[in-house]
């Protein structure tokens, strides 16, 4: 039997506000434990939460960017459970009346768009952090993160493969970053994902029982965990067993998911409206004002790049993966209006270099202006494309202008036909055996001669001219 997987994702994104959601404590990461706390976020008796306006604005930004309907009235609810990182004994979240619902985004997979529904987006507070002592049977708790604002973005069960899940998460993260409301750092936990997955015989319509996977702190982990879990559920059903609804933990070292606990139901949490917080009323005016400040989003930018620059969808997708990368590309094109050439260099040499140095595009050692200068030098024939790669690496290391590097290292391309003829002559007299083989029909040797000429000129001869002259002289 063949199976089809059904996947729905819950994403928690930490909002980049300066202060917490219900008190004035700083949200700054990495401060000494329990220094960013106050009676409100520590859940002392008799204190009252006050909603942070920025949290609401940021959530509306995300809701608009994902085509959600924004509720004119929403409510905060208490989700009750005990855990040592939750001082109040309940988490303030939203339940019955979330701030946003019924949205969607389009993901691109192998050039095909897929619409993924967004069930809801709601605001909630983060819990603290437990630190387990590996040497003693003791755990410590840090409440700095308690009350840091989160939005939870719940997808419809529209995702069908681990790759689609990865594409959805990358797109969601790109939107959050474009909006500048979340840094999207999965390793540091400011962008977290729980994955719900079930399988069913292909062609059937009802959903199977789902499991919920946790503890994945990279896109690769999510994809690997889902792939494993899909295989596990299929094998279980094939063996005549049944999938149990439960929460499972991804173990990246073993590459398996392991049962953690039975799945809790919503009623286990005894949700009820938080009596300390008024219903949240949002007027149309605020929504429209926020809408007017939205930047161009990845989907729109991608379409525009294809349309105005005529670059392939693949390039457009990659170049719009972050706002800064798109800006870099456009700045280059402004100075050197050959979009595909720019795209090749940005996606190739530049991204490779940034990756090797573990840098972001914002930290690029080569400015768009300098990149454009380099491309102009290739275009005008001063250097060959091959030499340009060397020049680029040198630009990235030294920060020098391409002209300076070319001059100092004597890399100017040889375009004087007489000079090239001289070198070709030398090569042909040196390799007499190869010349006669070539003339006897071993035409593949042509590339060998080109190589020899390039070697003799240390890569500086104009390759096109070398080809022409060789062809004539042979
Ligand atoms: P809970 O908090 O109980 O996990 P949520 O509504 O927050 O409930 O999230 C449920 C998630 O599980 C959604 O993303 C939804 O699309 C997904 N989901 C629901 N049913 C299934 C199913 N049978 N198989 C896979 N995913 C599912
Ligand atoms: Mg869940
Ligand atoms: Zn506080």
């Amino acid at each position: 039997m063949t199976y089809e997987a059904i996947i729905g994702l819950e994403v928690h994104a930490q909002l980049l506000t300066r202060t917490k959601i219900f008190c004035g404590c700083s949200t700054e990461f990495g401060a000494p434990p329990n220094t960013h706390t106050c009676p409100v976020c520590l859940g002392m008796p008799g204190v009252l939460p006050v909603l942070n306006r920025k949290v609401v604005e940021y959530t509306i930004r995300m809701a608009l960017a994902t085509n959600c309907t924004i509720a004119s009235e929403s409510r905060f609810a208490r989700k009750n459970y005990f855990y040592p990182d939750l001082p109040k004994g309940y988490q303030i979240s939203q339940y019955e009346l979330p701030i946003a619902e019924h949205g969607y985004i389009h993901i691109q997979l192998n050039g095909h768009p897929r619409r993924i529904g967004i069930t809801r987006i709601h605001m909630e507070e983060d819990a603290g952090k437990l630190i387990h002592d590996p040497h003693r049977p003791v755990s410590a708790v840090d409440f700095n993160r308690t009350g840091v604002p989160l939005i939870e973005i719940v997808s419809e069960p529209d995702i069908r493969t681990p790759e689609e899940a990865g594409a959805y998460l990358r797109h969601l993260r790109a939107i959050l970053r474009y909006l500048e409301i979340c840094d999207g750092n999965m390793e540091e936990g400011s962008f977290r994902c729980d994955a719900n997955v079930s399988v069913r015989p292909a062609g059937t319509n009802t959903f199977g029982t789902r499991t919920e996977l946790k503890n994945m702190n990279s896109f690769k982990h999510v994809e690997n965990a889902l792939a494993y879990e899909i295989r596990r559920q299929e094998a279980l059903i094939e063996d005549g067993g049944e999938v149990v609804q439960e929460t499972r933990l991804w173990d990246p070292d073993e590459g398996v998911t392991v049962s953690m606990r039975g799945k809790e139901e919503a009623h286990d949490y005894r949700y009820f409206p938080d009596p300390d917080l008024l219903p949240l009323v949002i007027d149309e005016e605020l929504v429209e004002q926020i809408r007017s400040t939205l930047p161009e989003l990845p989907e729109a930018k991608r379409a525009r790049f294809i349309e105005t620059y005529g670059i392939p969808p693949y390039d457009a997708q990659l170049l719009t993966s972050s706002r800064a990368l798109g800006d870099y590309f456009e700045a280059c094109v402004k100075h050197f209006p050959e979009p595909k050439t720019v795209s090749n260099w940005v996606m190739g040499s530049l991204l490779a270099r940034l990756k090797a140095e573990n840098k972001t595009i914002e930290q690029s050692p080569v400015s768009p202006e300098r990149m454009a200068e380099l491309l102009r030098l290739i275009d005008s024939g001063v250097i060959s494309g091959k030499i340009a790669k060397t020049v680029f690496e040198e630009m990235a290391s030294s920060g020098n202008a391409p002209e300076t590097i070319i001059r100092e290292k004597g890399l100017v391309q040889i375009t004087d036909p007489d000079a090239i003829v001289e070198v070709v002559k030398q090569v042909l007299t040196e390799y007499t055996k190869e010349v006669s083989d070539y003339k006897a029909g071993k035409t593949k040797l042509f590339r060998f001669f080109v190589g020899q000429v390039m070697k003799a000129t240390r890569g500086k001869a104009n390759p096109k001219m070398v080809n022409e002259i060789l062809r004539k002289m042979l």
Side-chain angles (χ1 to χ4, degrees), residues 6 8-10 154-157 196 198 207-208 210 212 263:
I6 305 291
L9 302 177
E10 295 163 73
V154 182
S155 88
E156 287 290 300
N196 298 270
S198 60
F207 288 164
R210 68 172 151 131
E212 180 168 341
K263 169 76 183 151

Side-chain angles (χ1 to χ4, degrees), residues 20 22-26 36-42 146:
K20 294 185 179 181
F22 297 120
C23 63
C25 290
S26 167
H36 293 328
T37 56
C38 74
V40 173
C41 54
L42 290 175
T146 311

Side-chain angles (χ1 to χ4, degrees), residues 10-13 93 120-124 150-154:
E10 295 163 73
V11 166
H12 286 93
S93 180
R120 57 187 273 152
I121 299 179
H122 70 245
M123 298 170 276
E124 61 185 31
L150 302 178
I151 51 176
E152 177 169 343
I153 305 156
V154 182

Side-chain angles (χ1 to χ4, degrees), residues 149-399:
L150 302 178
I151 51 176
E152 177 169 343
I153 305 156
V154 182
S155 88
E156 287 290 300
D158 288 346
I159 299 163
R160 293 290 172 269
T161 63
E163 296 71 40
E164 278 183 17
Y168 168 82
L169 289 175
R170 288 188 179 90
H171 193 119
L172 216 55
R173 186 174 72 161
I175 295 174
L176 288 162
R177 286 181 166 170
Y178 267 59
L179 297 172
E180 295 175 326
I181 60 173
C182 170
D183 67 23
N185 191 327
M186 260 185 126
E187 284 76 22
E188 283 177 12
S190 43
F191 183 91
R192 320 197 267 268
C193 167
D194 298 341
N196 298 270
V197 58
S198 60
V199 299
R200 67 181 177 193
T204 58
N205 281 322
T206 47
F207 288 164
T209 306
R210 68 172 151 131
T211 57
E212 180 168 341
L213 312 181
K214 288 183 184 287
N215 192 40
M216 301 152 304
N217 60 4
S218 75
F219 294 125
K220 262 274 130 333
H221 283 185
V222 176
E223 292 177 13
N224 292 343
L226 281 168
Y228 172 85
E229 182 62 13
I230 291 166
R231 268 185 275 121
R232 188 190 70 87
Q233 292 186 11
E234 285 173 3
L236 195 60
I237 296 170
E238 284 288 301
D239 279 356
E242 260 179 37
V243 175
V244 204
Q245 181 159 340
E246 61 181 355
T247 301
R248 298 179 68 87
L249 273 192
W250 169 243
D251 178 342
D253 299 324
E254 299 293 326
V256 298
T257 64
V258 283
S259 177
M260 178 167 102
R261 57 168 189 248
K263 169 76 183 151
E264 65 289 345
E265 301 283 345
H267 62 245
D268 294 328
Y269 289 116
R270 294 292 184 263
Y271 279 101
F272 65 87
D274 192 314
D276 287 345
L277 287 154
L278 290 167
L280 175 63
V281 176
I282 292 162
D283 56 44
E284 199 49 35
E285 208 180 316
L286 176 65
V287 174
E288 287 319 309
Q289 186 241 314
I290 293 171
R291 195 194 300 278
S292 71
T293 66
L294 291 186
E296 181 183 37
L297 293 166
E299 240 176 278
K301 201 188 278 286
R302 178 182 173 280
R304 182 170 63 80
F305 276 19
I306 295 172
E307 171 80 22
T308 32
Y309 299 120
I311 55 173
Y314 175 86
D315 297 35
Q317 178 74 21
L318 202 130
L319 293 172
T320 56
S321 58
S322 88
R323 209 166 141 179
L325 186 59
D327 289 347
Y328 187 99
F329 167 77
E330 292 204 278
C332 283
V333 171
K334 213 173 102 205
H335 292 99
F336 184 76
E338 302 254 2
K340 183 55 186 157
T341 308
V342 171
S343 166
N344 290 345
W345 276 84
V346 171
M347 296 194 310
S349 299
L350 180 65
L351 287 188
R353 179 77 188 214
L354 292 177
K355 190 160 180 222
E357 291 183 15
N358 202 10
K359 281 187 175 155
T360 64
I361 185 75
E362 287 92 336
Q363 304 162 312
S364 171
V366 176
S367 70
E369 291 77 15
R370 282 277 161 83
M371 177 67 105
E373 275 171 42
L374 177 69
L375 301 187
R376 262 199 307 277
L377 290 166
I378 307 171
D379 196 49
S380 57
V382 175
I383 50 171
S384 68
K386 194 154 181 276
I387 292 283
K389 299 244 155 97
T390 317
V391 176
F392 174 83
E393 295 305 330
E394 185 60 31
M395 287 164 71
S397 306
S398 66

